[in-house]
Amino acid sequence: MNKRSLTFDPIWEEKYAAGHIQNYPWDMVVSFVFRNVPRDRPRSEIKIMEVGFGSGPNLWFAAREGFKVAGVEGSSSAVDFVVERFKRDGLSGDLRVGDFTSLPFDDDSFDLVIDRASLVCVGAEVQNLAVAEVHRCLRKGGRFLHNAYGDSHSSMRAGELGADGLINNIAGGTLVGVGQLHFTSRAEINERFADGWNLLQVQRREWVDMLSVSGDIHAEWVVVAEKT
């Protein structure tokens, strides 16, 4: 495994170059934004950043709601698509090709940061570096939505353990065909947010596919953390 694959899984450039698109925002992101956005400033002054924005549905939603938006994405094809979509819809945003572990933004510059299952594509230590970068970029009191796959997920047991806790060649469960993934334990959540954070929400969500013979479990963490 090369260094690039530890910080960005090339399968996502292949997918976005082939036309993989999601047009509309995830419901957890919409809820996070409206529950945690500062109330004491106009929307035009509130800055929201997303790590791994993919085809851009979450930032598109936030920009349409009048917030200032920015983000980094490892796939240049995805960034090109989102830039064109924003232009077509008359929206503005600071949308860059970048690396989770070296965010190209100033210290203390964002009110909210979103990770909607993007950091799951890198290993444990790389995620810790990325979360430290998110912390640097957030203003004091700023909040971070961290959505990770849980370690009770059936797909974790249907692959091969690789570097930095990544599971490769997943052959079962709900996450077949999406490349390398990391599955997070509660202990890792505690470690990841031990310094400089106040955990406001730690939810473990699981659902079982009752039509599958093996009763596959899909497990996720939904974490909201505040910079102290």
Side-chain angles (χ1 to χ4, degrees), residues 65-176:
E65 290 295 322
F67 301 108
K68 289 185 177 180
V69 303
V72 294
E73 166 59 47
S75 165
S76 58
S77 294
V79 175
D80 289 344
F81 171 82
V82 181
V83 168
E84 181 58 33
R85 185 184 189 190
F86 269 48
K87 181 179 178 181
R88 185 174 64 247
D89 290 351
L91 303 173
S92 61
D94 186 356
L95 309 170
R96 310 190 195 188
V97 178
D99 191 298
F100 297 148
T101 63
S102 182
L103 297 176
F105 304 114
D106 293 337
D107 296 358
D108 309 312
S109 55
F110 291 96
D111 299 285
L112 301 178
V113 176
I114 298 161
D115 160 37
R116 211 307 301 177
S118 290
L119 297 187
V120 297
C121 298
V122 297
E125 291 305 315
V126 176
Q127 287 194 51
N128 290 341
L129 292 172
V131 170
E133 275 290 273
V134 168
H135 186 275
R136 177 185 65 79
C137 292
L138 272 173
R139 296 185 174 119
K140 184 175 181 179
R143 295 180 178 182
F144 176 39
L145 171 66
H146 177 52
N147 177 217
Y149 294 130
D151 59 354
S152 60
H153 202 298
S154 296
S155 291
M156 180 178 176
R157 296 181 294 279
E160 302 168 1
L161 181 62
D164 198 15
L166 285 164
I167 303 297
N168 302 297
N169 302 319
I170 294 171
T174 59
L175 296 171
V176 176

Side-chain angles (χ1 to χ4, degrees), residues 185-197:
S185 68
R186 177 58 196 271
E188 286 178 304
I189 293 290
N190 292 342
E191 177 185 357
R192 199 166 292 161
F193 294 96
D195 297 322
W197 296 99

Side-chain angles (χ1 to χ4, degrees), residues 28 154 174 205-210 215-220:
M28 75 171 65
S154 296
T174 59
R205 300 179 180 180
E206 294 187 354
W207 52 96
V208 181
D209 182 357
M210 301 304 292
D216 288 335
I217 297 171
H218 184 97
E220 296 184 3

